Amino acid sequence: MRSDYFLAKISLQEKDVNEARLHLEDALLHADPKPLQIHSLLATIYLKRNNIELAKKSLLKLYTNPSTKISAIKSLYEIYSSENRLENFMTLIEEEVKRNDSPILKKYYGLGLYNTRQFSKSCDYLENLEDLEAKFYYGLGLNQTNCFELAAQNFKSLETHSHKFEGFHYHYGITLVELNRFQSANKQFRYSIELNEQVWSSRCE
């Protein structure tokens, strides 16, 4: 019987998140036959309530199952990153990345490598991914490994999406300086200053 689960679904429809949480926790205690459904809902609730440790427990349960593994990756990456424990995240998914060609796995493994200063290796995983954030970090990695011509091409391809990435114009400007394209670099740095001024103005309003 799944009474607790369906009561939780009703509570969520009524926007009573705390009541839903209680029903979901009861469902686990009563050995609900589909615990992954329960953990998926609980992880979302715990994250919204900033109950990080409980969220992590549910997400790790999801990660251990092939059908829900990929859906848990982004949230696990964000949690480990916020805790400054990306090395633990890398250890968690390292073996899976070797046998699974999922672009999502490659992306978050690549981001983890970049943010643990393994720049060359991060480029190996982020290269050729279509995800825009992955492309941006690929460009950052190319800068860090002095591959400025490739970095310039990469940033150029992302220019229409520059508003999505903090520091885009600054990093593009650095690349162009290294290539002695000073006029183009000047334009990027001016964009960077203008955007920073807009941010400060909005904060002061």
Side-chain angles (χ1 to χ4, degrees):
M1 304 293 286
R2 307 197 69 203
S3 299
D4 292 310
Y5 170 75
F6 288 111
L7 285 169
K9 295 284 283 186
I10 292 168
S11 295
L12 288 172
Q13 287 292 325
E14 295 173 345
K15 302 190 185 304
D16 191 341
V17 176
N18 191 54
E19 187 71 14
R21 175 185 62 81
L22 294 172
H23 285 305
L24 290 168
E25 290 171 348
D26 283 344
L28 290 178
L29 289 173
H30 298 152
D32 188 280
K34 295 186 178 179
L36 292 178
Q37 278 188 328
I38 308 300
H39 282 296
S40 182
L41 292 172
L42 276 174
T44 302
I45 291 171
Y46 289 145
L47 286 171
K48 287 181 179 177
R49 294 166 63 93
N50 206 33
N51 292 335
I52 300 302
E53 285 305 312
L54 291 175
K56 190 190 298 181
K57 287 179 181 179
S58 284
L59 289 165
L60 288 171
K61 290 286 187 183
L62 295 172
Y63 181 76
T64 59
N65 186 280
S67 66
T68 52
K69 183 182 295 288
I70 300 303
S71 65
I73 288 292
K74 180 177 184 291
S75 295
L76 283 170
Y77 171 83
E78 291 171 349
I79 287 174
Y80 282 109
S81 180
S82 69
E83 295 176 336
N84 294 317
R85 295 172 59 202
L86 275 175
E87 291 84 0
N88 296 48
F89 173 79
M90 310 295 288
T91 302
L92 175 69
I93 72 167
E94 187 172 18
E95 290 304 314
E96 186 65 26
V97 170
K98 292 177 182 177
R99 59 176 176 262
N100 189 326
D101 204 38
S102 162
I104 294 174
L105 272 172
K106 284 185 176 181
K107 172 187 172 178
Y108 286 104
Y109 193 65
L111 295 188
L113 289 167
Y114 178 87
N115 285 305
T116 52
R117 304 190 63 79
Q118 299 176 68
F119 303 121
S120 181
K121 195 174 178 183
S122 78
C123 288
D124 292 339
Y125 283 91
L126 298 173
E127 186 179 10
N128 299 323
L129 295 183
E130 294 301 316
D131 180 270
L132 293 177
E133 186 180 22
K135 283 179 175 288
F136 177 61
Y137 273 88
Y138 176 57
L140 297 181
L142 290 170
N143 264 4
Q144 292 288 345
T145 53
N146 299 327
C147 299
F148 298 114
E149 191 64 54
L150 282 175
Q153 294 172 21
N154 185 76
F155 286 132
K156 181 68 176 176
S157 72
L158 283 173
E159 204 161 10
T160 56
H161 304 285
S162 61
H163 60 284
K164 297 180 179 179
F165 306 111
E166 185 177 354
F168 175 90
H169 294 291
Y170 173 79
H171 292 291
Y172 192 7
I174 292 292
T175 305
L176 294 169
V177 166
E178 293 292 342
L179 293 170
N180 297 323
R181 301 178 191 173
F182 300 118
Q183 188 171 354
S184 296
N186 181 287
K187 183 191 297 185
Q188 294 301 322
F189 288 130
R190 289 184 180 278
Y191 284 147
S192 179
I193 291 170
E194 288 173 11
L195 288 172
N196 286 338
E197 288 176 347
Q198 289 174 16
V199 170
W200 279 108
S201 296
S202 66
R203 289 176 179 174
C204 293
E205 290 176 356

